[in-house]
């Protein structure tokens, strides 16, 4: 019996997840198949029903734009998904379909290898991915976080003892006071004028992973964390949940992926 898994959502044919899972199947001698399913808001309900009825399916990843919408199709979700409000990993269990969020730990693991504390961390953007980022930062004890978003009304409610919401247009007032800047905006919004003010020691983490050296990361000479790290680290716990085997994160895996995202 071939054990199956999917990534579902929009533009999933471009996803690198099949490469990651196929690498791990081979390393663990698992007869597995991880493929993509392109789903649109119009056929979402119908496609989910079909997926749920597949016999050999162990689980599936959910990507843009269904990480929130999938929740009410599931039997239960873990506490991280509840707090973040999004699910990226769905597992078939004896008690039905379980939703988990592994994005937050996929983000946190590469970060914590580099830095455990930061002065005035900055998060650029507040879409689905940034919610997991903010959850991870708070959970891991980062304080004085400033979140910037083009649409300010989406972040107004975030102000609390750890988080300050600010307009993207005011980034220049904050950028010289941070030593960690995290980008979750698909298009680079930095420019030479802004980056001139950044402290040389500031760590830059871009969630965008294609190309590897994104236009955002190009402004930083060292101290970078690449989006591909998060992609790998969010996939690892899904593999463990679905196939009960330990995925290796090694040079070989990075080499295959980097070949795909070099440009
Ligand atoms: P999303 O929900 O669509 O959010 C996009 C965010 O970017 C919003 O805050 C949006 O602001 C902002 N934005 C978009 N275009 C902008 C522009 N031209 N100027 C200023 N702000 C702009 O997307 P997401 O799910 O958070 O994903 C964000 C990125 O992270 C994507 O590139 C995705 O591939 C990547 N990602 C990577 C990983 C990984 O494992 N490495 C995991 C998840 C996501 P408004 O609110 O104003 O529209």
């Amino acid at each position: 019996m071939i054990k199956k898994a999917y990534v579902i959502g929009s533009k999933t044919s471009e996803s690198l997840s099949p490469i990651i899972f196929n690498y791990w199947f081979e390393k663990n001698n698992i007869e597995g198949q991880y493929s993509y399913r392109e789903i649109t808001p119009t056929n979402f309900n119908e496609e989910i029903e079909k997926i749920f009825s597949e016999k050999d399916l162990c689980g599936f990843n959910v990507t843009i734009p269904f990480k929130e919408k999938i929740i009410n199709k599931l039997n239960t979700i873990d506490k991280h998904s509840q707090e973040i409000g999004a699910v990226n990993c769905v597992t078939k269990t004896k008690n039905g379909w379980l939703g988990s969020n592994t994005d937050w730990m996929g983000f946190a693991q590469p970060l914590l290898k580099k830095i455990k504390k930061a002065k005035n961390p900055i998060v650029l953007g507040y879409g689905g991915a940034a919610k997991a980022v903010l959850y991870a930062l708070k959970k891991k004890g980062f304080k004085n976080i400033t979140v910037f978003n083009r649409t300010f009304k989406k972040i107004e409610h975030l102000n609390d003892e750890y988080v300050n919401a600010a307009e993207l247009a005011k980034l220049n007032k904050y950028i010289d006071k941070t030593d960690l800047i995290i980008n979750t905006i698909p298009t680079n919004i930095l420019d030479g004028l802004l980056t001139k003010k950044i402290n040389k020691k500031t760590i830059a983490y871009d969630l965008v992973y294609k190309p590897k050296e994104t236009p955002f990361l190009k402004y930083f000479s060292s101290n970078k964390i690449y989006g591909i790290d998060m992609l790998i680290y969010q996939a690892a716990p899904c593999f463990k949940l679905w196939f009960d085997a330990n995925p290796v994160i090694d040079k070989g895996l990075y080499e295959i992926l980097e070949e795909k995202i070099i440009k």
Side-chain angles (χ1 to χ4, degrees):
M1 181 190 86
I2 294 185
K3 295 178 175 175
K4 289 201 299 186
Y6 289 118
V7 53
I8 69 156
S10 122
K11 293 192 187 160
T12 49
S13 62
E14 293 166 25
S15 169
L16 295 179
S17 297
I19 297 174
I20 300 175
F21 280 83
N22 287 331
Y23 184 83
W24 288 335
F25 286 145
E26 214 179 296
K27 287 272 171 190
N28 289 285
N29 284 320
I30 292 171
E31 219 186 323
Q33 188 187 68
Y34 183 103
S35 31
Y36 65 85
R37 299 260 301 232
E38 291 275 357
I39 294 186
T40 64
T42 335
N43 67 15
F44 176 77
N45 290 329
E46 194 186 319
E47 285 295 311
I48 291 298
E49 286 316 312
K50 278 193 212 156
I51 289 170
F52 280 167
S53 67
E54 283 192 34
K55 258 198 178 153
D56 305 331
L57 189 69
C58 300
F60 57 95
N61 286 123
V62 185
T63 188
I64 304 173
F66 301 120
K67 287 185 185 181
E68 284 133 8
K69 202 171 171 183
I70 192 71
I71 292 177
N72 58 28
K73 299 277 181 194
L74 306 173
N75 300 90
T76 173
I77 64 170
D78 71 0
K79 71 175 171 57
H80 306 296
S81 314
Q82 270 173 32
E83 288 187 41
I84 297 165
V87 159
N88 69 301
C89 171
V90 176
T91 307
K92 188 187 218 167
T93 73
K94 279 186 287 191
N95 305 319
W97 296 95
L98 162 72
S100 325
N101 189 300
T102 66
D103 277 340
W104 76 274
M105 51 179 137
F107 162 79
Q109 276 174 286
L111 176 71
L112 297 175
K113 277 191 200 169
K114 239 186 156 90
I115 190 177
K116 302 258 181 322
K117 265 191 210 166
K119 196 175 67 178
N120 307 320
I122 283 177
V123 179
L124 300 177
Y126 193 67
K131 288 179 186 152
V133 166
L134 197 57
Y135 176 76
L137 289 175
K138 283 176 152 186
K139 204 169 173 57
K140 296 296 171 189
F142 288 80
K143 295 185 179 115
N144 297 326
I145 307 158
T146 307
V147 179
F148 293 85
N149 200 41
R150 176 179 60 182
T151 315
F152 184 69
K153 67 174 189 309
K154 285 193 198 164
I155 56 170
E156 272 172 333
H157 67 284
L158 290 178
N159 279 309
D160 64 18
E161 58 183 306
Y162 304 105
V163 181
N164 166 39
E167 282 167 44
L168 198 51
K170 294 195 179 139
L171 181 59
N172 63 336
K173 294 200 175 135
Y174 293 79
I175 205 155
D176 56 340
K177 296 173 189 71
T178 182
D179 52 22
L180 173 64
I181 179 162
I182 299 151
N183 178 51
T184 78
I185 300 176
T187 335
N188 171 53
I189 52 104
L190 292 186
D191 60 34
L193 212 64
L194 267 174
T195 46
K196 244 180 27 196
K197 300 175 83 181
I198 297 177
N199 182 330
K200 288 224 163 18
K201 285 191 191 144
T202 296
I203 292 176
Y205 191 160
D206 199 349
L207 265 63
V208 182
Y209 54 80
K210 199 170 186 295
K212 182 185 176 193
E213 202 66 44
T214 58
F216 169 84
L217 287 176
K218 276 191 179 153
Y219 283 111
F220 301 83
S221 48
S222 56
N223 279 337
K224 311 182 200 200
I225 307 175
Y226 296 96
I228 198 68
D229 289 325
M230 175 173 169
L231 190 73
I232 295 171
Y233 281 90
Q234 63 75 32
C238 306
F239 185 84
K240 175 85 180 142
L241 273 168
W242 301 338
F243 305 109
D244 196 25
N246 285 318
V248 293
I249 298 175
D250 60 5
K251 212 170 150 227
L253 177 59
Y254 276 94
E255 276 169 7
I256 310 181
L257 291 169
E258 285 176 8
E259 230 173 75
K260 302 274 173 198
I261 56 168
I262 208 82
K263 284 189 188 129

